[in-house]
């Protein structure tokens, strides 16, 4: 790598999975995402998902955070249709005490269209994100966090093999409608590099059954 990850000169690669392709998020994905976010919003109760009219500004915001080195946003593209059906990202990078690289990163900002849920897309996306984080970024730990009330998301996180570590009370802002000024309790999960070989095998086996 010619530049450090999360720096201005680093070029995030396309990550090719079996069912999905993760492409660095850009405005070319906005049209597809505007359709995806409006399919059925009932599953987005605890998650920040833009409405169609706000997608261009949403993409601008994600790209702004990327330019500041805080985020690496990806569009989740259905390989069969070629359409973007959701987004995900690396965020909150943390470095080793001696500054030799990143020790940990979070996978977050994830949402997918209703029609993309339950089809193995999340499993495939997480497999690619975990693999790149451990094998290329060289992190020791990957975090996954969600609103502690979001039982559906927590179940999905547990299915990809992450370990539940506890709940951080009043940890971050709530995305629940009507709670704009409130903080949420956040459920914390993780996968360590020593656990990744077993988790990789399990995720690969799950994809074979899709």
């Amino acid at each position: 790598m010619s530049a450090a990850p999360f720096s201005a000169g680093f070029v995030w690669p396309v990550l090719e999975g079996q069912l999905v392709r993760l492409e660095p998020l850009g405005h070319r994905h906005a049209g597809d995402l505007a359709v995806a976010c409006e399919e059925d919003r009932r599953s987005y109760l605890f998650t920040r998902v833009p409405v169609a009219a706000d997608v261009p500004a949403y993409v601008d915001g994600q790209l702004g955070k990327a330019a500041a080195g805080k985020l690496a946003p990806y569009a989740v593209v259905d390989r069969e249709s070629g359409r973007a059906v959701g987004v995900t990202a690396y965020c909150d990078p943390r470095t080793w005490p001696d500054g030799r690289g990143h020790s940990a990163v979070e996978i977050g900002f994830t949402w997918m269209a209703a029609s993309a849920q339950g089809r193995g897309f999340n499993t495939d996306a997480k497999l690619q994100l975990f693999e790149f984080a451990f094998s290329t970024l060289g992190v020791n730990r990957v975090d996954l966090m969600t609103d502690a009330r979001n039982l559906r998301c927590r179940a999905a996180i547990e299915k990809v093999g992450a370990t539940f570590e506890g709940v951080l009370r009043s940890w971050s802002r709530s995305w629940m409608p009507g709670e704009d000024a409130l903080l949420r309790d956040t459920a914390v999960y993780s996968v360590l590099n020593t656990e990744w070989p077993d988790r990789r095998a399990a995720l690969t086996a799950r994809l074979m059954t899709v």
Side-chain angles (χ1 to χ4, degrees):
M1 294 179 289
S2 59
F6 295 96
S7 69
F10 185 76
V11 178
W12 292 89
V14 172
L15 303 178
E16 294 280 359
Q18 174 181 317
L19 304 174
V20 300
R21 181 172 61 255
L22 303 183
E23 301 177 356
L25 181 67
H27 285 288
R28 67 188 184 280
H29 300 113
D32 287 347
L33 294 176
V35 174
C37 71
E38 295 291 352
E39 283 189 1
D40 184 344
R41 298 186 61 85
R42 287 175 295 179
S43 65
Y44 302 149
L45 188 60
F46 301 101
T47 306
R48 183 196 175 194
V49 180
V51 296
D54 294 337
V55 166
Y58 172 84
V59 173
D60 281 339
Q62 298 297 81
L63 295 180
K65 293 174 184 176
K70 299 178 179 179
L71 193 73
Y74 276 93
V76 180
V77 177
D78 177 356
R79 293 192 61 174
E80 182 176 353
S81 69
R83 297 181 62 85
V85 295
V87 298
T88 190
Y90 291 119
C91 55
D92 192 22
R94 303 188 297 286
T95 58
W96 292 96
D98 59 8
R100 58 187 162 93
H102 289 94
S103 63
V105 71
E106 181 183 344
I107 295 173
F109 292 90
T110 303
W111 62 267
M112 292 189 194
S115 62
Q117 297 174 23
R119 297 174 56 189
F121 286 9
N122 182 61
T123 298
D124 197 16
K126 291 297 191 295
L127 175 59
Q128 307 315 313
L129 291 167
F130 281 132
E131 183 64 33
F132 187 78
F134 289 120
S135 299
T136 302
L137 299 182
V139 301
N140 182 68
R141 169 189 172 100
V142 173
D143 298 326
L144 301 101
M145 301 186 184
T146 190
D147 191 307
R149 298 168 294 181
N150 193 344
L151 300 183
R152 181 172 183 169
C153 184
R154 291 181 65 169
I157 291 174
E158 290 166 4
K159 284 182 180 178
V160 300
T163 298
F164 175 58
E165 295 186 336
V167 173
L168 300 174
R169 297 178 298 168
S170 296
W171 176 253
S172 58
R173 70 169 294 177
S174 173
W175 297 108
M176 181 82 165
E179 295 185 356
D180 293 348
L182 301 180
L183 297 173
R184 75 180 194 189
D185 291 349
T186 296
V188 181
Y189 295 79
S190 71
V191 176
L192 302 183
N193 65 347
T194 53
E195 300 168 336
W196 176 233
D198 287 341
R199 303 298 190 271
R200 182 202 292 121
L203 288 175
T204 300
R206 282 189 62 197
L207 281 176
M208 294 178 64
T209 66
V210 173

